[in-house]
Amino acid sequence: MTPSHPDPSTSGQGRPIATWPVSEARPALAPAAQRVLRNTYALLAMTLLLSAAVAVLSLALQLPGPGPLLGLAISLGLLWAVHRLQHSAWALPAVFALTGFMGYSLGPLLTRSLALPGGTEAVALALASTGATFLALSSYVLLTRRDFGFLGGFLTAGLLIALLAGVAALLLQIPALALTVSVGVALLSAALILYETSRIVHGGETNYVLATVGLYVSLFNLFTSLLSLFGLGGSDD
């Protein structure tokens, strides 16, 4: 008589042994999403390098800034131009014009920051924190494939409120309000990184120009907000 082989899923007493379910493999990105993601990160790297170069040049030459309100108006105008030209051959020049101008406007802020005691360390910390935040949040979305599309309405309302509060803080010169705005903008910028990356992953954003601008503006606002929270961004001393 042939001896029977024990069932590996049962114990010697015939009781079933608990087994762990095999986790499902993470689905691969669609080819279109992969292409948008690749082009977005490539263009984002170029815009960040351009902004850094212009900011360093502005810092070295001690160029005067455009002023907060004028700078905001020009940035919004160039942002509108990018959206207007997103499907034309002028889209990339508009992106580089926007990011170059924002780099130029960063020069005076860095000048004031570096002139303060411990300014170099604080700027480096703000830069490192911005990079680490972007890498952590982007990696989280890419690894988990979680959809953050539900944040769209909240972010739109939050950005509008932050814009109005920021203008009010600038005109009324209220330090507590400016600090609150900086905290809010930092949190909104982090949420926007999640939102924009999620839209690319799930096919909600198919234009890499707009995706790049969305991530760039989030990084720029996150960096400047961190400088302000470190007590550097709004200092005129």
Side-chain angles (χ1 to χ4, degrees), residues 92-186:
L92 290 180
V95 170
F96 288 120
L98 171 65
T99 55
F101 174 77
M102 294 181 75
Y104 158 69
S105 67
L106 194 60
L109 173 60
L110 294 175
T111 300
R112 295 195 303 270
S113 301
L114 294 172
L116 296 174
T120 302
E121 292 78 6
V123 170
L125 179 59
L127 184 61
S129 300
T130 301
T133 300
F134 175 74
L135 289 176
L137 296 178
S138 299
S139 298
Y140 177 76
V141 175
L142 293 174
L143 291 174
T144 64
R145 302 286 199 269
R146 184 171 178 182
D147 190 355
F148 287 92
F150 63 90
L151 291 176
F154 167 78
L155 290 172
T156 300
L159 289 172
L160 180 59
I161 294 173
L163 176 62
L164 295 177
V167 173
L170 180 65
L171 295 177
L172 301 177
Q173 295 294 310
I174 304 176
L177 180 57
L179 180 62
T180 302
V181 170
S182 295
V183 173
V185 170

Side-chain angles (χ1 to χ4, degrees), residues 18-88:
T19 57
W20 295 101
V22 179
S23 59
E24 295 183 358
R26 186 175 65 251
L29 286 179
Q34 292 182 16
R35 182 172 59 255
V36 174
L37 191 66
R38 182 173 58 251
N39 292 339
T40 296
Y41 283 162
L43 183 56
L44 181 63
M46 288 188 285
T47 57
L48 291 174
L49 288 174
L50 173 63
S51 288
V54 174
V56 170
L57 182 63
S58 176
L59 177 64
L61 299 178
Q62 297 292 298
L63 298 178
L69 294 180
L70 179 59
L72 177 62
I74 294 176
S75 297
L76 290 177
L78 290 171
L79 188 60
W80 174 85
V82 171
H83 282 263
R84 178 72 175 175
L85 300 170
Q86 59 180 285
H87 297 299
S88 75

Side-chain angles (χ1 to χ4, degrees), residues 192-224:
L192 275 168
I193 293 173
L194 291 172
Y195 175 73
E196 293 290 349
T197 307
S198 172
R199 291 191 69 214
I200 298 172
V201 168
H202 293 281
E205 180 59 84
T206 58
N207 188 309
Y208 74 93
V209 169
L210 296 185
T212 299
V213 169
L215 290 175
Y216 174 89
V217 172
S218 299
L219 288 169
F220 182 91
N221 289 335
L222 180 59
F223 176 69
T224 55

